[in-house]
Amino acid sequence: GSGSGSGNGNNARSDTTLANPLLPDDVLQGAVPDVIKKAESFCVFMDKVVVHMRERLTKQTSLNAVESETPTNFTHQFAKATGQEVPVLKHCYSRLNNLMKT
């Protein structure tokens, strides 16, 4: 009876706290890595991504084959070929979006 009522009150308070966080979104989602924090650094990183994709597509086209792979394998191959850290990739969309707004 009364135990479940007090539990609901705590849940409502927790929901309100989660809905209105005091921390900015970038802190909650993880800070933008230094390697893409500056616009110039971001462009250098994205150039490496484009070069990697171009090389993969050129290889596949010359072999007349299409490769299918898991996201984990793709990111592993990306890191191996470029020497870049994989977690940086998850911040690229938000970083590009922020740069386009400035």
Side-chain angles (χ1 to χ4, degrees):
S2 65
S4 66
S6 65
N8 288 341
N10 289 338
N11 287 343
R13 195 171 332 142
S14 296
D15 291 344
T16 303
T17 302
L18 291 174
N20 299 308
L22 298 175
L23 298 172
D25 286 341
D26 63 333
V27 172
L28 292 174
Q29 295 176 1
V32 174
D34 288 339
V35 71
I36 61 170
K37 200 168 270 189
K38 292 184 179 179
E40 296 84 11
S41 301
F42 176 73
C43 289
V44 169
F45 179 81
M46 289 307 297
D47 186 54
K48 290 177 183 181
V49 171
V50 170
V51 168
H52 176 69
M53 292 299 297
R54 185 179 299 134
E55 288 172 357
R56 289 181 59 117
L57 290 171
T58 302
K59 175 185 163 191
Q60 289 179 7
T61 303
S62 67
L63 296 175
N64 289 327
V66 176
E67 257 182 64
S68 177
E69 63 185 342
T70 65
T72 302
N73 190 40
F74 172 81
T75 54
H76 173 74
Q77 293 299 326
F78 171 78
K80 185 176 165 185
T82 63
Q84 298 296 314
E85 295 180 19
V86 173
V88 177
L89 287 171
K90 77 175 188 175
H91 294 280
C92 287
Y93 171 79
S94 62
R95 186 66 184 119
L96 178 61
N97 195 23
N98 286 340
L99 287 173
M100 295 300 286
K101 291 178 183 178
T102 60

